[in-house]
Amino acid sequence: MMKLTALTTALFLGVSAISTSAVALNLPPESQPEARGAAIAKESQIRDEGFHDSISEMEMVLTNTNGDISTRKMRFKTLEVPGEADGDQSLMIFDEPRDVAGTAMLTYSHILEADDQWMFLPALKRVKRISSVNKSGPFMGSEFAFEDLSSQEYAKYSHTWLRDEACGDMMCHVVERKPLYEHSGYTRMVSWSDTQDFLARKIDYYDRKNQLLKTLTFSDYRLYLDKHWRAHELYMINHVSKKTTKLVWTDYQFKTGLNETDFSKNSLKRSR
Amino acid sequence: MQYQRMLRLSALLTSTAGACMTALVPTLAADFSFEGELTFEARSFLNAPTSLHAKRNYGSVSTLLELGIYDDANTHAFIFKGFARGDSEDDNRSHADLREAKYIFVSDNYELAVGIDHVFWGVTEFAHIVDIINQTDATESVDGEQKLGQPMLRSSYVSEYGTFSGFYMPLHRPRTVFDKQGRPTSGLIISDDHELYESNHANEQNEFALRYENSFDAFDIGLAYFDGTAREPIINPANSVGGEITPYYPLLKQISLDTQATLGPWLLKLEALQQDQLDEQTARAVIGFEYTFYGLLGTSSDLGLVAEYMWDERQEIAPHPLANDIGIGFRWTANDVQSTTLLAGAIIDLDHQSMGVSLEAERRLTNNLSLSVEARFQTNIDPADQILSSIKDEDFIRLQLTTYF
């Protein structure tokens, strides 16, 4: 049975698969859209495995309908947690606006259960465990919700492959995904990921009334350690409010030697 | 004189830290950070002062400067945080303090800090009863959340069984007090340069503390032991010299627990302690919850509700007013670009039904400028409630504008 599926998939993918992808991948056939969608999502996750840890900086540019701009700056540290039971651990430290500089957030992400989150308030030197129910709320007044910025393990969603179509110069798999975790602000998302490297290129977000709410586009992908692709610009437009938020990532570093103790409640008190 | 002794000891601790630093300089491919803030403050009291010296309006300027030097590997760090305020009327409120001046060494599971430091323990919002390490800078805010730097040696070990920390503190710092021109005041003038200590060594004694912290799924717990001198003085008018009361600091041994369960939008909180002071064993506790409505009424704002019960076994004779009180608070967060926040809180005394109310609003004006407004007033004060009736005419509004550089 396994062999037969593999054979059918190979036939389906045909010439284009051989010419666009260096790695032979046997996706389930189009007649099995759920399995095919899940396989595409899983593949993009598997291809990024093994980064161990990363450090990066991010600038967030918020633009309202009058064209007024405000910016935020923050740094991220991420520790890869192997296995499929849990998501990654991350530490986010704010630099700007200055009234929140030094505020840091530690997250142990889980797949379907609520994440564990602690916030460090530097003026009081206080570490406060916070509720992670607030998935759909805006992050720092931006068009990104907390759930858009949290770790995106494929097991957090159910998937349905919709079609393959051209996206710019590339071909993309178009997959619909529905959040399986509680408290999401979305009924579904539709994501475009390219057929060569399985990188997210665009996501449409549909709100609780199933209306198109936001579109996120990914650009300026760069390759690290010959394996890990990172988009350096993310652009979110809210179709209802017409506000936009641009994220610009810089100074990505991988395998920097961070370990579990750098992601402890104790280390949160001296995060910088 | 006290202050000189303190400076001497602080100097000793910081010079030890300095010596560590000097040894490290060659290894430091130093990474510097320097940040500062400047705050302009106006306070206006709604009632004419009951004392001769006090005023209606107060203006002041304060600054906080922070310098950090770090090595590339983040193993060694030197952190300095200095605070200073100049007040138009109150000489005691015009003060400077080293909030932090410490050297930190971090190696995998181990952390050592030497110098002046600031640590916080606890989970509740209306009272911080287990938070014992740092003395309150009471001239800074009436909520007691501003703290003086504490000279200490601190070491922590992080293991899979939790985090173990030990503290040694060679010096007790007395609580700051308003001068006779200062407000809000209970009318009692407390000395700011003479203190009485139960300890034979006055403020130069050896204080110790141990702390254990861990998280189990939804539960965070902290256990602590403290052996030293109380941070909360006993104010007895019998100890008066020249019209000023000399505060008395008894010895204190204390064991405490603080825990929070985080269950979806619910935070359930408990702080409890047993203390041994002046041959008396007493218990205190704060128990309560916080619940947040996210995305209030379909908007992007949140509304948090906090309710806490504060209890002290000593009841009416406790040296603080939170012996049988309920605190209720609302926190509204707009989640807008300016991070607008409104906070309304009330503490109700269950014995006398008197109530202290606070309203606070905060908003960012630009990335380097923010504004906050605070109002505090007392209502329904029972003349039999000694602590609150002494401050019944001390309602005030405070405006703060902070610029960052």
Side-chain angles (χ1 to χ4, degrees):
Chain A
M1 193 62 197
M2 282 295 286
K3 269 183 185 169
L4 190 65
T5 314
L7 184 67
T8 338
T9 312
L11 285 172
F12 257 102
L13 289 176
V15 180
S16 75
I18 294 159
S19 63
T20 56
S21 181
V23 183
L25 175 72
N26 299 320
L27 287 175
E30 296 183 358
S31 59
Q32 298 171 19
E34 284 87 6
R36 187 174 166 88
I40 292 163
K42 188 173 180 178
E43 181 64 16
S44 72
Q45 184 173 326
I46 287 169
R47 289 191 181 203
D48 193 41
E49 279 175 1
F51 69 86
H52 190 269
D53 67 84
S54 72
I55 296 179
S56 55
E57 294 183 17
M58 189 250 272
E59 184 182 39
M60 194 173 228
V61 182
L62 284 61
T63 310
N64 70 10
T65 45
N66 296 330
D68 301 329
I69 283 174
S70 33
T71 57
R72 285 100 178 73
K73 283 183 182 164
M74 57 209 83
R75 285 165 291 134
F76 289 84
K77 296 178 182 181
T78 306
L79 183 70
E80 186 177 27
V81 176
E84 295 195 0
D86 275 316
D88 296 341
Q89 298 183 355
S90 70
L91 186 62
M92 176 172 60
I93 306 150
F94 288 96
D95 291 326
E96 285 181 27
R98 288 290 307 285
D99 58 309
V100 294
T103 304
M105 195 149 84
L106 174 67
T107 305
Y108 292 175
S109 64
H110 303 300
I111 304 299
L112 297 182
E113 283 171 44
D115 296 345
D116 299 331
Q117 274 186 327
W118 295 267
M119 186 164 252
F120 175 66
L121 306 163
L124 305 176
K125 292 275 160 184
R126 179 172 177 182
V127 173
K128 188 177 176 180
R129 174 84 173 260
I130 57 172
S131 167
S132 61
V133 165
N134 187 21
K135 301 248 184 212
S136 62
F139 174 81
M140 290 297 290
S142 76
E143 299 312 309
F144 283 82
F146 283 90
E147 64 187 304
D148 306 338
L149 289 167
S150 65
S151 68
Q152 306 279 316
E153 280 77 16
Y154 80 95
K156 288 182 167 180
Y157 310 92
S158 68
H159 298 86
T160 308
W161 173 84
L162 299 178
R163 59 190 179 272
D164 288 349
E165 66 179 23
C167 51
D169 305 337
M170 294 167 289
M171 280 298 287
C172 275
H173 297 299
V174 186
V175 175
E176 180 186 74
R177 59 188 203 196
K178 291 182 175 168
L180 295 174
Y181 53 87
E182 279 188 288
H183 309 294
S184 175
Y186 311 120
T187 46
R188 62 191 180 104
M189 293 94 129
V190 176
S191 80
W192 281 256
S193 57
D194 68 76
T195 53
Q196 181 169 336
D197 297 305
F198 289 79
L199 303 176
R201 300 288 170 176
K202 186 170 98 164
I203 301 175
D204 278 343
Y205 296 87
Y206 291 83
D207 67 13
R208 288 181 182 137
K209 293 173 200 144
N210 203 19
Q211 298 293 306
L212 178 63
L213 177 66
K214 302 188 293 192
T215 298
L216 174 63
T217 45
F218 300 77
S219 57
D220 193 9
Y221 269 103
R222 295 179 212 168
L223 184 62
Y224 293 90
L225 305 181
D226 242 359
K227 181 170 184 196
H228 308 291
W229 288 99
R230 290 293 179 273
H232 286 60
E233 194 174 308
L234 275 71
Y235 183 77
M236 182 78 89
I237 178 159
N238 185 316
H239 301 294
V240 178
S241 71
K242 308 293 178 201
K243 293 182 198 166
T244 67
T245 300
K246 186 171 78 173
L247 309 184
V248 180
W249 297 80
T250 50
D251 296 316
Y252 263 112
Q253 289 173 269
F254 289 83
K255 294 185 175 161
T256 64
L258 293 174
N259 61 41
E260 284 157 11
T261 54
D262 297 299
F263 294 85
S264 68
K265 243 171 98 179
N266 194 57
S267 69
L268 186 57
K269 296 172 195 166
R270 54 179 156 77
S271 56
R272 55 175 291 267
Chain B
M1 291 306 287
Q2 294 271 358
Y3 195 67
Q4 277 179 2
R5 280 213 299 273
M6 198 209 88
L7 280 180
R8 217 166 56 225
L9 252 144
S10 306
L12 182 75
L13 281 171
T14 34
S15 65
T16 316
C20 298
M21 281 302 292
T22 318
L24 293 167
V25 164
T27 64
L28 280 174
D31 177 5
F32 273 92
S33 71
F34 176 76
E35 290 178 344
E37 57 185 73
L38 189 65
T39 301
F40 299 91
E41 182 199 76
R43 289 185 304 149
S44 192
F45 289 78
L46 306 186
N47 297 303
T50 45
S51 105
L52 267 180
H53 308 278
K55 303 279 192 293
R56 275 296 269 275
N57 299 307
Y58 295 75
S60 90
V61 182
S62 67
T63 186
L64 187 67
L65 300 173
E66 195 173 347
L67 171 73
I69 308 168
Y70 309 85
D71 74 331
D72 273 347
N74 267 331
T75 306
H76 310 279
F78 183 78
I79 293 161
F80 165 93
K81 201 182 278 183
F83 171 82
R85 176 183 295 283
D87 189 271
S88 65
E89 312 296 335
D90 186 334
D91 294 342
N92 286 4
R93 197 160 186 254
S94 296
H95 69 300
D97 182 48
L98 272 179
R99 298 295 201 226
E100 291 176 41
K102 66 185 176 190
Y103 160 74
I104 308 180
F105 170 77
V106 181
S107 168
D108 279 341
N109 300 337
Y110 186 70
E111 182 181 328
L112 176 78
V114 190
I116 297 170
D117 205 356
H118 177 192
V119 296
F120 177 87
W121 299 346
V123 293
T124 55
E125 304 297 323
F126 281 97
H128 305 299
I129 63 170
V130 312
D131 186 34
I132 184 82
I133 297 292
N134 290 77
Q135 179 59 277
T136 301
D137 191 348
T139 59
E140 277 304 306
S141 69
V142 292
D143 61 16
E145 290 196 338
Q146 301 302 312
K147 298 289 175 179
L148 296 170
Q150 172 66 46
M152 69 174 86
L153 177 74
R154 170 172 65 85
S155 92
S156 297
Y157 181 73
V158 181
S159 77
E160 57 180 307
Y161 305 106
T163 301
F164 301 85
S165 304
F167 301 78
Y168 165 68
M169 292 154 282
L171 189 90
H172 177 273
R173 300 198 61 187
R175 187 166 289 191
T176 56
V177 290
F178 289 118
D179 202 355
K180 56 182 182 291
Q181 305 95 341
R183 288 181 85 176
T185 174
S186 62
L188 302 175
I189 309 295
I190 296 157
S191 171
D192 95 308
D193 52 6
H194 291 92
E195 296 85 28
L196 290 170
Y197 281 89
E198 182 185 359
S199 165
N200 295 332
H201 304 285
N203 65 332
E204 286 185 26
Q205 43 177 303
N206 300 317
E207 295 185 323
F208 297 93
L210 297 168
R211 172 126 177 121
Y212 170 75
E213 287 179 8
N214 207 351
S215 300
F216 306 93
D217 296 325
F219 293 87
D220 286 53
I221 68 152
L223 292 168
Y225 175 72
F226 172 86
D227 183 349
T229 283
R231 300 314 190 224
E232 184 138 43
I234 293 172
I235 305 298
N236 183 350
N239 294 330
S240 284
V241 180
E244 291 189 351
I245 302 171
T246 312
Y248 177 66
Y249 288 94
L251 291 168
L252 173 73
K253 285 194 176 96
Q254 175 170 304
I255 185 161
S256 68
L257 160 77
D258 52 278
T259 183
Q260 179 179 314
T262 307
L263 306 166
W266 290 94
L267 312 181
L268 308 179
K269 302 170 175 195
L270 171 71
E271 290 190 17
L273 62 84
Q274 175 80 16
Q275 65 181 37
D276 183 350
Q277 183 175 294
L278 298 170
D279 296 327
E280 243 185 290
Q281 298 273 336
T282 44
R284 277 185 84 175
V286 181
I287 187 164
F289 71 87
E290 198 172 325
Y291 182 91
T292 306
F293 298 92
Y294 294 104
L296 187 68
L297 305 171
T299 68
S300 54
S301 65
D302 303 331
L303 182 69
L305 171 67
V306 185
E308 287 173 358
Y309 174 65
M310 292 156 270
W311 174 81
D312 188 310
E313 191 181 2
R314 291 168 288 186
Q315 294 293 301
E316 294 278 290
I317 58 160
H320 58 83
L322 305 174
N324 182 28
D325 293 63
I326 278 187
I328 294 171
F330 297 92
R331 186 193 297 113
W332 181 76
T333 340
N335 290 318
D336 58 350
V337 173
Q338 294 84 10
S339 298
T340 310
T341 307
L342 299 176
L343 202 63
I347 294 180
I348 302 146
D349 184 304
L350 296 179
D351 294 320
H352 303 284
Q353 283 76 50
S354 42
M355 185 156 81
V357 178
S358 72
L359 301 170
E360 291 168 64
E362 276 180 17
R363 188 173 168 90
R364 179 184 312 120
L365 301 178
T366 72
N367 262 17
N368 300 312
L369 196 65
S370 57
L371 182 70
S372 77
V373 185
E374 176 186 356
R376 285 186 185 260
F377 52 93
Q378 326 288 330
T379 68
N380 199 29
I381 293 191
D382 183 342
D385 186 343
Q386 291 197 349
I387 298 179
L388 282 181
S389 60
S390 67
I391 56 165
K392 69 179 166 47
D393 294 324
E394 300 300 302
D395 299 349
F396 69 94
I397 293 170
R398 164 156 108 158
L399 191 74
Q400 282 184 304
L401 185 70
T402 302
T403 166
Y404 303 88
F405 54 90

